[in-house]
Amino acid sequence: MQETEEPSVKITEELNKDIENLALNIRGFIKSQISGFKKKGAVLGVSGGIDSAVALTLCVQELGKEHVYGLILPEKESAPSSKVLGAEICESLGVAYEEVPISPIVESLNIYEKKEQVIKRACPEYDPAIHKTSLIFPDFLDQELLNVPYIRLIKDGETVGKYRLKANDYLELIGLQGVKQRSRMIVQYMYAEKMNYAVCGTTNKTEVALGQFVKYGDGGVDLEPLADCYKTQIYALGKHLNINDEIMRRPPSADTWSHYTTDEEFYWRMPMHIMDQLLYSQEHDLPPGVISENTDLSTDKIEKALKHIRRIKNTTEYIRAVPPVYYLNR
């Protein structure tokens, strides 16, 4: 009996098809939401990354530049290129924008000092005067399934130490870092409410699926036009919208560590195009053979990777969920 061949599916092609129509539909969504909220326009945090650049461009195309306001919200550990690229995209679109550093908010809660104390517990040689830091996990595809976080020390651009974090220290660092995104959202709402604008989010589907956002930080917005677009599709939209090459080439990052740390190093633990194809495969229940054909991963690695993704989703379920409500008489 002849075996039935699995249908050929090109995942990246599926993701990137009909991008022009996707852009039009997102623009329509933006318009309908702003109108439905009875707001005059949209405020966006502009990070110099691809997500905010795409969201900003689509808002300008649909609402007009006079109804969009950009906020560049750096802090002392942000990469200098973030505010430069953020200003450039605002200026290229003719969008009014303002730079509002959030370091004073973060410093008022002693976040930097507390963070240094945690890092020093794990890395006795750490000296904030000479070292930059990043929080990383081992590359999943080349390692076992151990979910072990490390602090990396960088001096003059070179890694000089890597130290395993205890669970309690890791959780404390995540809580401290989350203050940065929540501070940014406070500022965005301060401006949005003053202007009678809505706060437009920039979270993409890869981040939503994995709970890769800060609850009531970058996840606390009025509308999410990109939240059903995988990161791969965001780059395709960026190409369609002629986003500048420097932003297109910039690796995705939350940009909250003194050393620029990519999402691939910290959260995904694998290349973006692999993560998106695995998530798409889960969503559409594709068989292992199709996944292997698209990703060039062995069946064993695919099984472990999908288990890894399920674990992330289970761990972050509370982040993605709306707050449960107790209803009387039910």
Side-chain angles (χ1 to χ4, degrees), residues 72-77 99-112 179-180 183-184 186-187:
I72 299 171
L73 304 164
E75 46 97 14
K76 71 178 189 179
E77 293 187 317
E99 181 181 322
V100 184
I102 63 162
S103 294
I105 303 174
V106 178
E107 286 171 338
S108 72
L109 296 170
N110 294 322
I111 299 301
Y112 298 118
V179 172
K180 298 179 180 181
S183 298
R184 291 188 171 106
I186 288 171
V187 176

Side-chain angles (χ1 to χ4, degrees), residues 273-303:
H273 70 282
I274 296 293
M275 177 59 81
D276 273 359
Q277 290 183 94
L278 291 170
L279 289 170
Y280 181 92
S281 299
Q282 278 191 325
E283 181 184 5
H284 295 275
D285 198 24
L286 298 181
V290 172
I291 303 173
S292 181
E293 180 185 340
N294 281 270
T295 62
D296 291 326
L297 297 178
S298 67
T299 302
D300 181 58
K301 282 192 174 181
I302 289 169
E303 184 179 335

Side-chain angles (χ1 to χ4, degrees), residues 40-80:
K40 295 180 179 179
V43 163
L44 292 89
V46 185
S47 66
I50 184 66
D51 297 317
S52 64
V54 166
L56 184 73
T57 303
L58 291 170
C59 283
V60 169
Q61 288 182 348
E62 189 60 34
L63 305 174
K65 63 184 180 182
E66 65 276 9
H67 296 294
V68 180
Y69 197 76
L71 286 169
I72 299 171
L73 304 164
E75 46 97 14
K76 71 178 189 179
E77 293 187 317
S78 301

Side-chain angles (χ1 to χ4, degrees), residues 75-79 115 119 132-136 150-152 165 170 173-174 177 180 253-261 266:
E75 46 97 14
K76 71 178 189 179
E77 293 187 317
S78 301
K115 180 177 169 183
I119 295 173
K132 291 191 174 184
T133 59
S134 65
L135 177 62
I136 60 169
Y150 289 85
I151 286 289
R152 183 171 59 185
L165 275 177
Y170 169 73
L173 283 173
I174 294 300
Q177 293 293 81
K180 298 179 180 181
S253 170
D255 193 20
T256 58
W257 288 85
S258 56
H259 178 75
Y260 191 83
T261 306
F266 168 59

Side-chain angles (χ1 to χ4, degrees), residues 24 68 160 209 217 243:
L24 288 172
V68 180
V160 295
I243 302 299

